[in-house]
Structure formats: structure tokens, C-alpha cells
Amino acid sequence: MNEYNKQVERRHEIGEFLKTRRLSLQPEDVGLSRDSNRRRRVPGLRREEVAALAAISTDYYARIEQGRREAPWPTLDTIASALHLDQAGRDYLLELSMRPLVRPLQRKAQRPSPHLLRLLDDLATMPAVLLGRRMDVLGWNAMATAFMATNFAQLPARQRNYVRLVFTDPSVRQLYVDWEKTGRLCVALLHMEVARDPQDPRLTELVGELSIQDVDFRRWWGDRQVAIRNRGVKRFNHPEVGELILDWDTLACVGDPDQQLITWSAKAGSISHDRLMSLRAGS
């Protein structure tokens, strides 16, 4: 793909993202009154309303959304504010707008950091996995194997991908009480990965494969929601120990931002913590 085509592709992706966010909003969401005298033919905000909120002309905004005009980041930042984008949405838009047109053709295989692998083993009381690019599982501890009922070591390396497991492994799928929320989050995180490296053939292969295999993935991918890994609370239904309510956290590696530790833990003395300990004893 030559430089011109990459520019066109980038403008198109920015425009499609802005369009989906515009159509997801109602006038009252952004402090506008709904005009009952003007019938809305489509849901969401009108282009002229977004343009007015961003203090730019409707024609200029329309060209950006249609992928016919390059927009500098300050303009996109103003549009992001008009559309009330959260931090993940702003980061995604920034990734798209600042994405270099030239990428290295050869991508080195990602190797897990030795000291992070040591840390994984030291986290003996909580499940933890090391995620890399594409949300590939680069490392795991014994508790993660017991918790997710998945023998990572027996999986082919190309199948050790967290999103793939969430959508295709029945045992992992059944682990999450609110699987739909988890699936949507995985899709949103994967969107951010694609924004960072749209020419990665393995990412393209993964998205294509899951789009064919799972109707929910295909539908949610079209929603263009984005997210960043952070922290939260999730409920699980483990086949051996029952219900677990766990805090999950993301620990970033300063030396290699493409690698992050994901941990699941519970407060000492809680029922969930006791059940984790019993899971550890049996692993």
C-alpha cells in the first residue's frame, strides 16, 4: 500500500469513527434542546450540530467525516470534546491521527520480559497473565491456569490470545458471569490495537477469523467502540469453587509498554479470597 492510499485509509477510519460516535448521541446528551418541529430522519446528532459545538463549518466537518479532508489534531481534539469522547475515545482518535504512514515491514517476534516472568511466578496467591501486542498471552502463572481452566502450555503459540479464548473457548466463556460485557471490552481493546498497528497481518487475521466465527464479535466490531486496559471488578462462576468477585488490575511495564501484567485478586479474609486459596491448594 503506497503512502497516498494509507492517507486515504487513515482519513476513512477517522471519519467512520466520528460518524459512529455522532450517531450514538442525542441532542440532550451534549446540552442541546430537541427541536420538535424538525423531524430527525436518522438517530443521533446532525453534522451541523457537531460542527456548531466544535466551532467549525458544517462543510469542513462533513469533509472530515467523509474522509475527504485531513484534519490536524487540534481540530480533532475540539471535535472529540464536542462528541463527549471519553479518554479511550480520545486516545484512539489520537492514535489514528498521529499514526505514521511508514511502518517496518518486518515485525520482530515479541519475547516476554524475563523479570516480568519472574514476577508472574512470585504472584503465587493470585491469577496473573502477561499480555503483549494483539492481546497475545506471553506468560502466565499456575494460578492463571487453574483459574481459567486453560492449559496455556499445550496451546499452539498463535492460539494463545486472550480475545480468541474469550470468544472461542467454552470454558473461558462460561467463566464470566457477564460474558457480553467482557466480550465487548475485548473487542474495544482490540480496536485500539488495530489503531496502533493497522498493517499487522496477524491482527488482520485475528479480526477476520473471529468475525467469521462469532456473530457478536462481528456486530460489536462494527460499533467501533474503543477502550484502554485499566482496572475494574468482575464476577466469575468457577466450575470448582463457585462464585468469585475479583478486582482486576493492569500493571504496565515502563521498559516495554507493549507488555502488561493483568492480575485478579480479592481482599484477604473475603469469601472470594478464601476460594482463590482453595483453588491454589488444588492446582
Short mmCIF file of all heavy atoms in Angstrom, two decimals, residues 1 6 8 22 29-31 45 47 55 64 90 93 99 131 168 176 206 209 223 225 241 259 267 273 282:
data_model
loop_
_atom_site.label_atom_id
_atom_site.label_comp_id
_atom_site.label_asym_id
_atom_site.label_seq_id
_atom_site.Cartn_x
_atom_site.Cartn_y
_atom_site.Cartn_z
N MET A 1 0.85 -1.19 0.00
CA MET A 1 0.00 0.00 0.00
C MET A 1 0.89 1.25 0.00
O MET A 1 1.74 1.40 0.87
CB MET A 1 -0.91 0.00 1.23
CG MET A 1 -1.91 1.16 1.25
SD MET A 1 -2.96 1.14 2.74
CE MET A 1 -3.87 -0.38 2.51
N LYS A 6 -2.51 4.96 2.09
CA LYS A 6 -2.52 4.92 3.55
C LYS A 6 -3.15 6.17 4.12
O LYS A 6 -3.86 6.11 5.14
CB LYS A 6 -1.09 4.76 4.08
CG LYS A 6 -0.49 3.38 3.81
CD LYS A 6 0.92 3.29 4.33
CE LYS A 6 1.53 1.92 4.05
NZ LYS A 6 2.94 1.83 4.51
N VAL A 8 -5.50 7.93 2.64
CA VAL A 8 -6.93 7.77 2.39
C VAL A 8 -7.54 6.84 3.43
O VAL A 8 -8.62 7.11 3.98
CB VAL A 8 -7.19 7.24 0.96
CG1 VAL A 8 -8.65 6.87 0.77
CG2 VAL A 8 -6.75 8.27 -0.07
N ARG A 22 -21.06 10.17 16.57
CA ARG A 22 -22.12 11.17 16.35
C ARG A 22 -23.50 10.52 16.40
O ARG A 22 -24.42 11.05 17.03
CB ARG A 22 -21.90 11.87 15.00
CG ARG A 22 -23.02 12.83 14.61
CD ARG A 22 -22.68 13.59 13.35
NE ARG A 22 -22.56 12.74 12.18
CZ ARG A 22 -23.59 12.31 11.44
NH1 ARG A 22 -24.84 12.63 11.78
NH2 ARG A 22 -23.39 11.56 10.37
N ASP A 29 -27.80 14.88 25.16
CA ASP A 29 -26.54 14.36 25.69
C ASP A 29 -25.43 15.40 25.67
O ASP A 29 -24.47 15.31 26.44
CB ASP A 29 -26.07 13.14 24.87
CG ASP A 29 -27.01 11.95 25.00
OD1 ASP A 29 -27.67 11.84 26.06
OD2 ASP A 29 -27.08 11.14 24.07
N VAL A 30 -25.55 16.36 24.76
CA VAL A 30 -24.49 17.38 24.60
C VAL A 30 -25.01 18.77 24.94
O VAL A 30 -24.42 19.78 24.56
CB VAL A 30 -23.91 17.36 23.17
CG1 VAL A 30 -23.19 16.05 22.91
CG2 VAL A 30 -25.00 17.58 22.12
N GLY A 31 -26.13 18.83 25.67
CA GLY A 31 -26.64 20.12 26.12
C GLY A 31 -27.47 20.88 25.11
O GLY A 31 -27.71 22.08 25.29
N LEU A 45 -26.91 12.84 16.51
CA LEU A 45 -26.75 14.26 16.21
C LEU A 45 -26.64 14.48 14.70
O LEU A 45 -26.20 13.60 13.96
CB LEU A 45 -25.49 14.81 16.89
CG LEU A 45 -25.45 14.82 18.41
CD1 LEU A 45 -24.10 15.36 18.89
CD2 LEU A 45 -26.58 15.64 18.99
N ARG A 47 -24.84 16.52 11.54
CA ARG A 47 -23.49 17.03 11.31
C ARG A 47 -23.38 18.51 11.67
O ARG A 47 -22.39 18.95 12.24
CB ARG A 47 -23.09 16.82 9.85
CG ARG A 47 -22.72 15.38 9.51
CD ARG A 47 -22.47 15.24 8.04
NE ARG A 47 -22.06 13.88 7.68
CZ ARG A 47 -22.13 13.38 6.47
NH1 ARG A 47 -22.60 14.13 5.47
NH2 ARG A 47 -21.74 12.14 6.22
N ALA A 55 -17.29 24.61 16.73
CA ALA A 55 -16.99 25.94 16.18
C ALA A 55 -16.24 25.86 14.85
O ALA A 55 -15.27 26.58 14.61
CB ALA A 55 -16.19 26.77 17.19
N ILE A 64 -14.38 16.02 6.78
CA ILE A 64 -13.58 15.20 7.69
C ILE A 64 -14.27 13.86 7.92
O ILE A 64 -13.66 12.80 7.82
CB ILE A 64 -13.37 15.93 9.03
CG1 ILE A 64 -12.52 17.20 8.83
CG2 ILE A 64 -12.69 14.99 10.04
CD1 ILE A 64 -12.42 18.06 10.08
N ARG A 90 -10.60 9.42 22.98
CA ARG A 90 -9.63 10.45 22.59
C ARG A 90 -8.28 9.82 22.24
O ARG A 90 -7.62 10.22 21.29
CB ARG A 90 -9.48 11.48 23.71
CG ARG A 90 -10.75 12.21 24.07
CD ARG A 90 -10.54 13.16 25.23
NE ARG A 90 -9.94 14.39 24.78
CZ ARG A 90 -10.62 15.49 24.45
NH1 ARG A 90 -11.94 15.47 24.50
NH2 ARG A 90 -10.01 16.58 24.05
N LEU A 93 -8.57 8.23 18.81
CA LEU A 93 -8.54 9.24 17.76
C LEU A 93 -7.13 9.79 17.58
O LEU A 93 -6.67 10.03 16.45
CB LEU A 93 -9.51 10.37 18.11
CG LEU A 93 -9.87 11.36 16.99
CD1 LEU A 93 -10.45 10.65 15.79
CD2 LEU A 93 -10.86 12.40 17.53
N ARG A 99 -0.77 8.40 13.57
CA ARG A 99 -0.19 7.15 13.10
C ARG A 99 0.78 7.39 11.94
O ARG A 99 0.40 8.01 10.94
CB ARG A 99 -1.30 6.20 12.66
CG ARG A 99 -0.86 4.79 12.39
CD ARG A 99 -2.08 3.91 12.26
NE ARG A 99 -2.81 4.17 11.03
CZ ARG A 99 -4.06 3.77 10.82
NH1 ARG A 99 -4.71 3.14 11.77
NH2 ARG A 99 -4.65 4.00 9.67
N LEU A 131 0.24 -10.00 28.99
CA LEU A 131 -0.29 -9.76 27.66
C LEU A 131 0.66 -8.88 26.86
O LEU A 131 1.26 -7.94 27.40
CB LEU A 131 -1.67 -9.08 27.72
CG LEU A 131 -2.80 -9.84 28.39
CD1 LEU A 131 -4.11 -9.07 28.25
CD2 LEU A 131 -2.94 -11.24 27.82
N THR A 168 -13.85 -18.07 21.77
CA THR A 168 -13.88 -19.41 21.17
C THR A 168 -13.74 -20.56 22.15
O THR A 168 -14.06 -21.69 21.80
CB THR A 168 -12.78 -19.55 20.10
OG1 THR A 168 -11.48 -19.47 20.73
CG2 THR A 168 -12.89 -18.46 19.05
N TYR A 176 -17.07 -16.21 32.83
CA TYR A 176 -17.54 -14.84 33.07
C TYR A 176 -19.05 -14.82 33.27
O TYR A 176 -19.81 -15.23 32.39
CB TYR A 176 -17.17 -13.94 31.90
CG TYR A 176 -15.69 -13.65 31.80
CD1 TYR A 176 -14.85 -14.42 31.00
CD2 TYR A 176 -15.12 -12.59 32.52
CE1 TYR A 176 -13.49 -14.16 30.92
CE2 TYR A 176 -13.77 -12.32 32.45
CZ TYR A 176 -12.96 -13.11 31.65
OH TYR A 176 -11.62 -12.85 31.56
N LEU A 206 -6.66 -12.24 12.87
CA LEU A 206 -7.43 -12.48 14.08
C LEU A 206 -8.83 -11.87 13.97
O LEU A 206 -9.83 -12.53 14.27
CB LEU A 206 -6.70 -11.91 15.29
CG LEU A 206 -7.43 -12.03 16.65
CD1 LEU A 206 -7.62 -13.49 17.03
CD2 LEU A 206 -6.65 -11.28 17.73
N GLU A 209 -10.88 -13.80 11.37
CA GLU A 209 -11.28 -15.13 11.85
C GLU A 209 -12.43 -15.03 12.84
O GLU A 209 -13.42 -15.77 12.74
CB GLU A 209 -10.07 -15.80 12.51
CG GLU A 209 -10.38 -17.16 13.13
CD GLU A 209 -9.19 -17.73 13.88
OE1 GLU A 209 -8.05 -17.38 13.52
OE2 GLU A 209 -9.42 -18.51 14.82
N ASP A 223 -19.43 -1.62 15.72
CA ASP A 223 -19.82 -0.49 16.58
C ASP A 223 -18.68 0.49 16.80
O ASP A 223 -18.91 1.62 17.24
CB ASP A 223 -20.30 -1.01 17.94
CG ASP A 223 -21.64 -1.73 17.85
OD1 ASP A 223 -22.34 -1.53 16.84
OD2 ASP A 223 -21.97 -2.48 18.78
N GLN A 225 -16.49 0.76 19.13
CA GLN A 225 -16.22 1.21 20.49
C GLN A 225 -14.75 0.92 20.82
O GLN A 225 -14.18 -0.06 20.33
CB GLN A 225 -17.12 0.47 21.48
CG GLN A 225 -18.60 0.77 21.32
CD GLN A 225 -18.95 2.19 21.68
OE1 GLN A 225 -18.30 2.81 22.53
NE2 GLN A 225 -19.96 2.74 21.03
N VAL A 241 -14.83 -23.83 42.37
CA VAL A 241 -15.01 -23.12 43.66
C VAL A 241 -16.23 -22.21 43.68
O VAL A 241 -16.52 -21.59 44.70
CB VAL A 241 -13.74 -22.31 44.00
CG1 VAL A 241 -12.54 -23.22 44.16
CG2 VAL A 241 -13.45 -21.24 42.95
N GLN A 259 3.99 -4.68 26.80
CA GLN A 259 3.74 -5.82 27.68
C GLN A 259 3.10 -5.31 28.97
O GLN A 259 3.57 -4.34 29.58
CB GLN A 259 5.05 -6.56 28.00
CG GLN A 259 5.72 -7.18 26.78
CD GLN A 259 6.88 -8.08 27.15
OE1 GLN A 259 6.86 -8.74 28.19
NE2 GLN A 259 7.88 -8.11 26.29
N LYS A 267 -9.79 -9.24 48.39
CA LYS A 267 -9.37 -8.77 49.71
C LYS A 267 -9.20 -9.96 50.65
O LYS A 267 -10.03 -10.88 50.69
CB LYS A 267 -10.41 -7.81 50.28
CG LYS A 267 -10.02 -7.20 51.62
CD LYS A 267 -11.08 -6.23 52.10
CE LYS A 267 -10.71 -5.62 53.46
NZ LYS A 267 -11.77 -4.67 53.93
N HIS A 273 -11.48 -14.50 48.36
CA HIS A 273 -10.08 -14.76 48.64
C HIS A 273 -9.90 -16.18 49.15
O HIS A 273 -8.98 -16.91 48.72
CB HIS A 273 -9.54 -13.76 49.66
CG HIS A 273 -8.08 -13.91 49.95
ND1 HIS A 273 -7.62 -14.69 50.99
CD2 HIS A 273 -6.99 -13.41 49.32
CE1 HIS A 273 -6.29 -14.65 51.00
NE2 HIS A 273 -5.88 -13.88 50.00
N GLY A 282 -5.48 -26.72 45.26
CA GLY A 282 -5.79 -27.85 44.41
C GLY A 282 -5.09 -27.80 43.07
O GLY A 282 -5.21 -28.75 42.27
#
